[in-house]
């Protein structure tokens, strides 16, 4: 294997909610340092830490006001260096979150243009003259409302894809691009091992900035391909790879949605822009067009079709980054399962389903414990710009307050952002004071301390899966994916194959028995089964009984080597 990521499992930390060390109710770097042993016990290879740079925290750190420092809420640069050194000692790599599409309006570049009409930074942002007393066009921001904000009392407006406190950077400007590359090197020189790159396929905008036909009651329109994977983005991404990431020697995982099948080779192929890209094909299928209040029912069959087509598109072109959860999603059991079905069996089936897919798998903090959505009681409990925007949008589409609240609560990003559950202690061991978001009431049952001790816990199931992947010498990262047609269309079955080995994954993500016809069944041995993974019997490689696959049973099989 040439590169560490070819056999890696990556764990995402949302630093505000991982571990508080100085008792202010907010997680911090020392908290992560104190929990490194836990991460080592899990067996993961790297951690991706959501943004820890100085920020006014309008979007919890995705609004950076200084790219080369640490926000005092999280600690200091010295703490960060200590984290790097201690993590590296444990063979854990550190992946920084890189937000290159926009910065905070509190950043000195933006502050300077507010004060100084001849600011050297005015071409660092996308600034246009207003039209007819209003914005330059009717593009809608991803966080609601116009994507343009007036500068002081002038007729000039700046563009923001996300909130108005996140001003988009003007990638057309080579000076801006050079500053960003220099900043990336600054972190590489400090010793970071890779980057998760935020919203990267928004960096190119259609320079005609056309007005569009309105698509909602607000008279605005989603600009779609005018700013998402827009024509010409490849030139920027190629330069970023060469100048920023040492021509691809540095690990990168891109948050790049809507990459079309014909673009995959360019993005992650042999000479692609990134090491891997997150797979959005199934994590957003429970909602229509990004609207949290427009739910879509997911059957196991639909889920399987989405996963299969995305994995098949990537086959032979590079690496995916499969994930079930992150800080922008609700908890996966609530997303993919009916409430009555949420239990160990169904959660471990979801886990097994995605964990052996092609690519570098990511686990989001608390996912390994089986954390579920928080039982929100009122809209005031949330601390997320996007949740408030989605609530307002739901009301504008005619939903009453109760219904809007119910739907938005189910999908809110804060479901993933509540504190990590460490123990049965006060505030689940996250902090001694009241945390910035509430603690899940299930914490007495679902927590690290209890699950570590319990042999048949989800946490130990994850440890087992990680161990299997780690012992595969990179097989699961790279081997070919092949979806299998089944007579029970809700049974999820796929193969992973290379020249010498073959594994088979069977996932029955439904509350009824299923079966699978495998003619040469005796040629397979069972490696992992979520009904008995903790007993030695299962690991002694028995021949499976596939005529009778139990409700929510999932199995990893291996073809005997001849
Ligand atoms: C994607 C990030 O994951 C999300 O949390 C953030 O709000 C937007 N990009 C804007 O940076
Ligand atoms: Ca703290």
């Amino acid at each position: 294997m040439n590169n560490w990521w070819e056999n890696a499992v990556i764990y995402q930390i949302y630093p505000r909610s991982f571990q508080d060390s100085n008792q202010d109710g907010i997680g911090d770097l020392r908290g992560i340092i104190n929990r490194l042993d836990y991460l080592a016990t899990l067996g993961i290879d790297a951690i991706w830490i959501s943004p820890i740079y100085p920020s006014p925290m309008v979007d919890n750190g995705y609004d950076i006001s200084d790219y080369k420092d640490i926000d005092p809420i999280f600690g200091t640069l010295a703490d960060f260096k200590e984290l790097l050194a201690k993590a590296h000692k444990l063979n854990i790599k550190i992946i920084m979150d890189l937000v290159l599409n926009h910065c905070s309006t509190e950043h000195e570049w933006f502050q300077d243009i507010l004060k100084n009409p001849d600011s050297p930074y005015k071409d660092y942002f996308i600034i246009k003259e207003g039209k007819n007393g209003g914005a330059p066009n009717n593009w809608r921001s991803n966080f609601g409302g116009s994507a343009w904000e007036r500068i002081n009392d002038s007729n000039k407006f700046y563009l923001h894809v996300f909130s108005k406190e996140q001003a988009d950077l003007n990638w057309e400007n080579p000076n801006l691009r050079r500053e960003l590359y220099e900043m990336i090197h600054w972190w590489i020189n400090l010793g970071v091992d890779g980057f998760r790159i935020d919203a990267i396929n928004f960096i190119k905008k259609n320079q005609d900035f056309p007005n569009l036909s309105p698509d909602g009651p607000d008279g605005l329109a989603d600009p779609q391909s005018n700013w998402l994977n827009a024509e010409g983005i490849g030139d920027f991404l190629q330069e970023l790879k060469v100048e920023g990431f040492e021509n691809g020697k540095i690990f990168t995982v891109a948050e790049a949605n809507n990459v079309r099948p014909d673009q995959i080779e360019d993005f992650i192929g042999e000479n692609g822009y990134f090491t891997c890209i997150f797979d959005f094909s199934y994590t957003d299928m429970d909602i229509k067009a990004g609207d949290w209040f427009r739910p879509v029912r997911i059957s196991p069959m639909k889920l399987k079709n989405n996963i299969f087509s995305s994995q098949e598109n990537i086959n032979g072109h590079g690496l995916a980054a499969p994930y079930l959860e992150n800080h922008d999603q609700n908890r996966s059991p609530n997303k993919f399962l009916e409430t009555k079905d949420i239990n160990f069996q169904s959660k471990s089936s979801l886990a097994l389903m995605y964990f052996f897919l092609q690519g570098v798998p990511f686990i989001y903090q608390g996912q390994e414990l089986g954390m579920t959505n928080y039982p929100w009681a009122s809209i005031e409990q949330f601390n997320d710009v996007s949740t408030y925007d989605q609530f307002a949008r739901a009301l504008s589409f005619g939903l009453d307050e109760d219904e809007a609240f119910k739907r938005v609560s189910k999908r809110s990003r804060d479901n993933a952002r509540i504190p990590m559950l460490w123990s049965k202690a006060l505030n689940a061991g996250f902090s001694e004071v009241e945390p910035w978001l509430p603690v899940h009431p299930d914490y007495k049952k679902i927590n690290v301390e209890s699950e570590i001790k319990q042999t048949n816990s989800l946490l130990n199931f994850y440890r087992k899966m990680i161990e299997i992947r780690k012992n595969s010498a990179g097989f699961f990262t790279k081997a070919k994916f092949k979806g299998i047609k089944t007579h029970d269309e809700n049974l999820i079955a796929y193969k992973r194959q290379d020249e010498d080995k073959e594994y088979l994954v069977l996932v029955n993500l439904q509350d009824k028995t299923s079966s699978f016809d495998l003619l040469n069944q005796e040629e397979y041995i069972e490696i992992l089964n979520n009904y008995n993974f903790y007993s030695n019997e299962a690991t002694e490689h028995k021949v499976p009984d596939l005529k009778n696959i139990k409700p929510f049973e999932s199995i990893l099989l291996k073809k005997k080597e001849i």
Side-chain angles (χ1 to χ4, degrees), residues 15-20 24-29 73-74 430 436:
R16 288 181 81 82
S17 309
F18 194 60
Q19 176 71 66
D20 179 18
D24 63 355
I26 300 176
D28 43 54
L29 291 182
I73 287 185
F74 298 122
F430 168 73
W436 72 286

Side-chain angles (χ1 to χ4, degrees), residues 8 105 160 174 208 231 335 354 360 401 431 454 517:
T105 49
H160 57 93
D208 295 337
E231 194 67 46
K335 175 182 310 190
Y354 98 101
V360 182
E401 284 213 7
S431 176
Q454 196 190 329
D517 290 321

Side-chain angles (χ1 to χ4, degrees), residues 59 62 102 143 162 166 196 198 255 327-328 413 417:
D59 190 16
Y62 284 93
H102 47 268
F143 285 169
F162 297 94
Q166 292 163 298
R196 175 268 183 186
D198 187 70
E255 190 201 27
H327 64 291
D328 290 332
R413 310 196 289 184
R417 297 176 181 190

Side-chain angles (χ1 to χ4, degrees), residues 213-328:
S213 313
D215 62 16
D218 54 5
L220 302 173
D222 178 351
Q224 300 187 17
S225 61
N226 287 288
W227 70 17
L228 183 61
N229 287 326
E231 194 67 46
I233 192 171
D235 296 340
F236 292 158
L237 297 178
Q238 179 63 24
E239 190 187 89
L240 171 64
K241 168 194 168 184
V242 174
E243 304 286 328
F245 305 125
E246 302 183 355
N247 202 19
K249 285 208 270 303
I250 304 288
F251 174 83
T252 51
V253 54
E255 190 201 27
N257 54 354
N258 283 36
V259 175
R260 295 187 315 266
D262 63 289
Q263 295 174 307
I264 287 178
E265 181 69 30
D266 289 344
F267 272 71
I268 49 175
E270 182 111 9
N271 298 308
Y273 314 130
F274 304 108
T275 313
C276 49
I277 45 174
F278 287 121
D279 184 356
F280 282 81
S281 64
Y282 51 96
T283 39
D284 277 336
M285 62 185 289
D286 59 323
I287 47 172
K288 208 167 162 192
D291 283 333
W292 298 355
F293 54 92
R294 293 200 279 180
V296 176
R297 223 187 82 77
I298 310 176
S299 66
M301 181 186 68
K302 278 211 253 169
L303 176 59
K304 151 166 112 170
N305 290 344
N306 280 30
I307 295 178
F308 284 13
S309 64
S310 130
Q311 286 265 311
E312 274 155 10
N313 284 336
I314 287 178
N315 252 340
H317 294 291
L319 299 180
Y323 69 99
L324 268 189
E325 295 180 11
N326 66 26
H327 64 291
D328 290 332

